[in-house]
Amino acid sequence: MTLRIVAAVPLGYAVASLWAMALARLLPGDRAEATVAATLVAFALCAGNAMWAFAARSGWRAFWMLAVAGAIAGGLTWLSIMGSGRL
């Protein structure tokens, strides 16, 4: 149960934050509008991550799947920064 809580709360929040960064950089339109849209999506992702952490077959599966999702979002953000050169 402890691993599920760790996966749900801090890791779920970190994954949602990474996806917010990635989406804010990748969504079309004005920077402010893309940021607001990405933040709104991140709120839903944070709740979904927490629910999924407790619905997964095991705590380790929840932990590693969320870690992989965060790595993908971090990689997309990194590639976007390297490609455009701006933060």
Side-chain angles (χ1 to χ4, degrees):
M1 183 57 88
T2 303
L3 189 57
R4 289 181 189 267
I5 293 170
V6 169
V9 181
L11 187 59
Y13 179 78
V15 169
S17 297
L18 285 169
W19 276 106
M21 287 191 312
L23 287 174
R25 298 188 58 81
L26 299 175
L27 286 174
D30 185 34
R31 285 185 188 179
E33 291 174 0
T35 302
V36 169
T39 303
L40 290 173
V41 170
F43 284 133
L45 281 175
C46 193
N49 290 341
M51 287 187 281
W52 191 83
F54 286 100
R57 283 187 237 165
S58 70
W60 285 110
R61 183 177 177 98
F63 185 84
W64 288 113
M65 292 300 285
L66 286 172
V68 167
I72 291 169
L76 286 173
T77 303
W78 181 76
L79 286 174
S80 175
I81 291 171
M82 290 296 116
S84 68
R86 66 173 177 85
L87 290 176

